[in-house]
Amino acid sequence: MNSLKRLSNITGLVVLAVAMVVYFMSVERVGSLWDCGEFILGAYKLQVVHPPGAPLYVLIGRIFTWLAEILSDDPADIAFAVNLMSGLCTALAAMMICWVTIMLTKLSWKGREGETTDGENLAIAAGGLVAGLSTAFASSIWFSAVEGEVYAMSTFFTALTLWSAVKWYYLSDDLDNDRWLVLSLFCGGLSIGVHLLSLLTFPAIGLLYYFKKYKEPNIKGGILSILAGVFMIGFIQKIVIVGIPTIWANMELFTVNSMGMGVHSGLIPTILILA
């Protein structure tokens, strides 16, 4: 098991290194067409980008623009730094897919407790290497990896959410290992500040939870677990993302316009309602 874990870590780092080198050589040196200029400028000046906004992307992008200012006097390197951030995010996503493939291959081949030989470890790692590099150099993913847009970071968060859930499923059913499932849901929540793509992993997470917690799974249970994941997508989109701001807006109108209170006073009843 330790041999497979060590080989898995090495394979994932190889995928990360290869993808990052290629992305560094192919990333846009300046701004690209479409929304890239807006996101680069939004990250540089901590401005608000177009709805629904991408606050986490802007905050992380600001770190890269800050480093560009320290390392270079050329303003074009600010755009290059944000573009390079997309490359780094996508390379990390490819590494995650490599590790997911290795874990699922081992589970399907030997089960959770089964031991693998050195030859089997090489075969499993080779599969992860192919999956990781295929992810990195798929045309649509590579296209987003070389420009300053939200899709590369969204791909990273989606892969991270999935990897954390598969990691939880891969390990034994101990209470201590549940932290990986919490991490998965936390990453899915963080991703809302970038893009909503990570929410699409919830039906898969529902299946993983069902197959691990129920010893005699069946088709009915599998369908219900998928529907539970779909319900969570709708709940987050309609209740959390749209519902909370709507409640806040209505409370703000009520406290300010009807009760004559100060601006932002609607936050108080909003917090009480949520509590």
Side-chain angles (χ1 to χ4, degrees):
M1 182 68 71
N2 289 331
S3 177
L4 178 60
K5 182 177 180 180
R6 189 182 310 111
L7 191 57
S8 173
N9 291 337
I10 294 173
T11 306
L13 292 175
V14 168
V15 171
L16 173 65
V18 171
M20 196 61 231
V21 168
V22 175
Y23 292 156
F24 179 82
M25 296 174 65
S26 58
V27 71
E28 291 278 0
R29 261 52 188 176
V30 293
S32 305
L33 292 174
W34 315 121
D35 298 332
C36 300
E38 177 192 359
F39 282 110
I40 292 169
L41 186 60
Y44 181 41
K45 296 296 184 179
L46 285 180
Q47 296 175 337
V48 179
V49 296
H50 65 265
L56 183 59
Y57 177 91
V58 169
L59 290 174
I60 297 175
R62 176 60 188 135
I63 298 174
F64 281 79
T65 62
W66 172 68
L67 291 174
E69 287 183 296
I70 293 177
L71 299 175
S72 174
D73 295 328
D74 186 358
D77 287 334
I78 294 173
F80 173 63
V82 177
N83 295 337
L84 196 61
M85 176 182 69
S86 294
L88 177 60
C89 287
T90 309
L92 289 170
M95 179 179 69
M96 298 293 175
I97 296 301
C98 168
W99 286 340
V100 166
T101 303
I102 289 174
M103 288 188 287
L104 292 179
T105 304
K106 195 268 178 180
L107 285 173
S108 63
W109 200 351
K110 294 292 184 176
R112 189 173 283 110
E113 305 298 334
E115 295 294 332
T116 53
T117 64
D118 291 340
E120 290 170 341
N121 290 340
L122 287 173
I124 293 172
L129 181 67
V130 172
L133 293 179
S134 297
T135 299
F137 301 127
S139 60
S140 59
I141 292 179
W142 194 351
F143 184 90
S144 297
V146 295
E147 63 180 15
E149 250 280 13
V150 297
Y151 304 119
M153 190 178 292
S154 177
T155 301
F156 163 69
F157 272 108
T158 303
L160 181 60
T161 303
L162 178 63
W163 170 77
S164 303
V166 173
K167 178 78 172 180
W168 170 79
Y169 181 76
Y170 182 75
L171 297 174
S172 58
D173 191 11
D174 296 330
L175 184 63
D176 188 52
N177 291 329
D178 287 347
R179 67 185 188 274
W180 292 103
L181 184 60
V182 175
L183 174 63
S184 177
L185 300 177
F186 177 69
C187 292
L190 282 179
S191 70
I192 296 174
V194 180
H195 196 271
L196 299 180
L197 186 63
S198 294
L199 299 183
L200 296 180
T201 62
F202 281 15
I205 294 174
L207 272 178
L208 292 174
Y209 185 90
Y210 174 70
F211 284 131
K212 185 172 184 177
K213 292 296 184 179
Y214 293 84
K215 304 305 180 183
E216 297 182 359
N218 53 55
I219 295 178
K220 179 182 178 181
I223 294 175
L224 290 176
S225 64
I226 293 175
L227 291 177
V230 173
F231 171 80
M232 285 304 300
I233 294 175
F235 176 82
I236 292 174
Q237 286 190 303
K238 297 297 184 181
I239 305 300
V240 177
I241 297 176
V242 178
I244 294 177
T246 301
I247 293 175
W248 189 356
N250 291 331
M251 290 299 100
E252 186 74 7
L253 290 172
F254 174 71
T255 56
V256 176
N257 292 1
S258 299
M259 301 182 65
M261 299 175 67
V263 178
H264 302 313
S265 58
L267 181 61
I268 298 174
T270 301
I271 293 176
L272 293 175
I273 290 172
L274 293 177

